[in-house]
Amino acid sequence: MKSRKVEPPDGGYGWVVVMSAFFTMGLTAAVLKNFGHFFIEIQNHFGVQASTTSWVTSTTITMLHLGAPAASAMTLQFSQRVVIMLGGLLATLGMVLASLDLSLPWLYLTMGILQGTGLSFSWISANSMVSHYFVRWRPIALAIASSGECVFAVMFSPFFKWLIDTYSWQGALLIIGGLQLNLCVCGALMRPLEKTTSPAQDTKDSLDATTLPAKRMTFFQCSLMRKPEFFLYILFAIFSAAGFFIPPLFLVPFASSLGMDKYWPAMILSVLALADLAGRLICGWIANMRLVRNLQLLTMVATLLGVVLLLLPISQNYWAVLVFASLYGFLFGCVVAIHVTAIVDIVTLEGFDSGLGLFMLLRSIGGFTGPPAAGWLVDYTNNYSVAFYFSGVCLIVSAAFVVLVDRLVHRRREAVESQVYCAINQQEDWETAKAESDTVT
């Protein structure tokens, strides 16, 4: 029996991987999404401005992105299982040390660098594992996995608020760190895909079929940046990241500035997370139906998301804020559901791990500058509305880059299809001519 390369199973144990990724997303991205509950507590505790406090979250977001190439390279060298478990240990260590409350720079180091690196290792590896287990069902599989962020965010929003009120924000960080240790369990469930081989290998071809793909996937492909469509997609990543992380950070302070009771803003975040969940699942389902190209769909939802954020500050009461927050959550979920899948459309599955690492690394430029810029605008104007205006403009600009990417990718595919069509016609003409020659002979 000859050796062979295992194809993505598109099911089976892959669904266990999806559920493990579901919990991984909850213990990483959902925790980061609820950092807004600690914003005012930390600001009041240290007596600093909003822009200074926002550097805690900004550092976490930056390390989430900067750690991506290292996470991708480690998954290629070792396995996603090992990297997820390492990420869980780093995230837990970051939160436990942050609970010591030594100083604000100490929070930059612990909640920022250690926590952010741990989130990066676990998040990147979980997405990589799901992508390699699925082909046909990849969009919906990634949507289900990423929806763990939303489900856990619904539960974490009031839970974190209760933890802060009961145990103080320092005690809340300690407990959250203990929860994140469960990332090691999620990593243990990530069974790597293996190449199957026969004990007796018959031919050199069977050996090559097993070993050559592994060698190709060992190296991190920085050369992807030479592709113009991928470079433009990186620009989309930078501008979208600049706007992505601002609303969750400033929505609670904005709602509080309107005079709402302290638990109402927490409920808004829970409703936002439910809308986010619906957006991910619905958009993942639409993408799986192939009604439009993934990049076309991404352009539409990113543009609408920017428009909603520009309109959100007109809200002056709880129900208006709730409606716009729900729209924001739904469209945010739509963007998240397909922006990772679209990387495969641009660089193919073989370059996905490296592409995702570069995508996250360079997106950190936007994630690092966006929240502090919004915080500076809030300090300068003494108005939380400007943070949402800034976020909306960034997302609309990012959608323009996706339009260019879609055109380049579509033209490239048309050129490839045209070449294949010509090759087939030439082959048919050659076979017809040969048949006619044989008949005459």
Side-chain angles (χ1 to χ4, degrees):
M1 182 178 69
K2 293 184 177 182
S3 306
R4 63 183 177 85
K5 182 176 65 174
V6 175
E7 297 295 332
D10 250 333
Y13 193 81
W15 295 114
V16 177
V17 170
V18 169
M19 289 310 300
S20 178
F22 176 91
F23 283 94
T24 301
M25 300 302 164
L27 293 170
T28 55
V31 171
L32 178 58
K33 185 175 284 188
N34 279 280
F35 267 20
H37 289 297
F38 295 94
F39 187 90
I40 295 178
E41 299 293 334
I42 294 174
Q43 182 180 3
N44 292 337
H45 179 74
F46 290 104
V48 295
Q49 293 183 325
S51 56
T52 304
T53 307
S54 66
W55 281 105
V56 176
T57 302
S58 182
T59 305
T60 310
I61 294 170
T62 300
M63 294 309 302
L64 172 66
H65 294 81
L66 289 180
S72 295
M74 290 172 67
T75 59
L76 295 173
Q77 187 67 32
F78 303 105
S79 69
Q80 289 89 345
R81 170 184 286 170
V82 172
V83 181
I84 291 174
M85 295 176 74
L86 177 60
L89 293 175
L90 289 174
T92 298
L93 181 63
M95 285 303 211
V96 170
L97 292 178
S99 68
L100 298 177
D101 182 24
L102 299 183
S103 64
L104 189 57
W106 178 253
L107 294 185
Y108 296 157
L109 173 64
T110 54
M111 284 185 72
I113 295 176
L114 285 178
Q115 172 74 190
T117 303
L119 299 187
S120 178
F121 283 13
S122 298
W123 190 90
I124 290 291
S125 302
N127 276 286
S128 172
M129 197 59 148
V130 174
S131 296
H132 283 285
Y133 258 88
F134 291 88
V135 176
R136 179 186 175 190
W137 300 105
R138 184 181 295 129
I140 192 65
L142 283 170
I144 293 172
S146 68
S147 66
E149 174 185 339
C150 315
V151 174
F152 276 82
V154 172
M155 299 184 292
F156 282 168
S157 184
F159 179 57
F160 283 12
K161 185 63 180 175
W162 177 79
L163 287 177
I164 292 171
D165 290 343
T166 306
Y167 300 104
S168 77
W169 64 270
Q170 296 93 334
L173 292 178
L174 181 62
I175 295 172
I176 293 168
L179 289 175
Q180 289 185 310
L181 193 59
N182 286 289
L183 286 167
C184 295
V185 179
C186 296
L189 293 173
M190 294 291 192
R191 187 171 69 194
L193 284 171
E194 297 178 353
K195 307 285 190 290
T196 60
T197 60
S198 169
Q201 296 184 338
D202 299 343
T203 65
K204 183 177 182 299
D205 290 335
S206 66
L207 179 61
D208 290 342
T210 302
T211 59
L212 288 181
K215 289 181 181 178
R216 284 198 300 269
M217 292 302 293
T218 301
F219 302 101
F220 191 83
Q221 303 175 40
C222 294
S223 59
L224 292 175
M225 288 299 298
R226 299 174 184 172
K227 297 170 68 74
E229 55 268 39
F230 186 70
F231 178 78
L232 289 171
Y233 199 66
I234 292 298
L235 293 179
F236 153 76
I238 293 172
F239 278 91
S240 62
F244 261 168
F245 302 103
I246 293 173
L249 186 61
F250 289 97
L251 189 58
V252 170
F254 174 72
S256 300
S257 70
L258 298 178
M260 298 181 189
D261 293 334
K262 60 181 180 179
Y263 278 96
W264 283 113
M267 292 305 297
I268 290 175
L269 288 182
S270 295
V271 173
L272 185 152
L274 286 173
D276 186 356
L277 172 62
R280 294 179 192 228
L281 296 178
I282 292 174
C283 196
W285 175 67
I286 293 174
N288 219 84
M289 292 175 65
R290 307 291 198 274
L291 297 176
V292 295
R293 295 191 296 272
N294 287 334
L295 291 168
Q296 289 178 322
L297 186 59
L298 181 59
T299 300
M300 290 186 283
V301 294
T303 303
L304 290 174
L305 179 58
V307 172
V308 167
L309 288 172
L310 291 175
L311 295 176
L312 189 147
I314 68 174
S315 309
Q316 294 301 319
N317 57 67
Y318 174 77
W319 295 108
V321 173
L322 188 64
V323 169
F324 279 105
S326 300
L327 289 173
Y328 160 76
F330 179 82
L331 293 168
F332 178 88
C334 291
V335 172
V336 171
I338 53 176
H339 81 298
V340 172
T341 305
I343 297 176
V344 181
D345 297 335
I346 299 170
V347 300
T348 73
L349 183 59
E350 184 177 353
F352 173 76
D353 288 324
S354 299
L356 181 59
L358 290 169
F359 177 86
M360 294 295 292
L361 170 65
L362 297 172
R363 195 172 77 159
S364 65
I365 298 172
F368 188 70
T369 58
W376 180 84
L377 290 172
V378 169
D379 290 336
Y380 183 77
T381 62
N382 198 29
N383 186 352
Y384 286 108
S385 298
V386 294
F388 298 98
Y389 295 143
F390 177 73
S391 178
V393 170
C394 288
L395 284 160
I396 292 175
V397 172
S398 74
F401 289 111
V402 183
V403 174
L404 299 176
V405 175
D406 180 56
R407 290 184 178 181
L408 289 174
V409 172
H410 188 56
R411 287 177 181 175
R412 184 192 66 192
R413 287 182 178 175
E414 287 181 337
V416 171
E417 291 173 357
S418 177
Q419 291 176 358
V420 171
Y421 179 76
C422 291
I424 293 174
N425 286 340
Q426 289 176 359
Q427 180 68 19
E428 291 177 349
D429 292 342
W430 181 83
E431 291 177 353
T432 300
K434 182 179 180 182
E436 291 176 352
S437 177
D438 292 343
T439 301
V440 172
T441 303

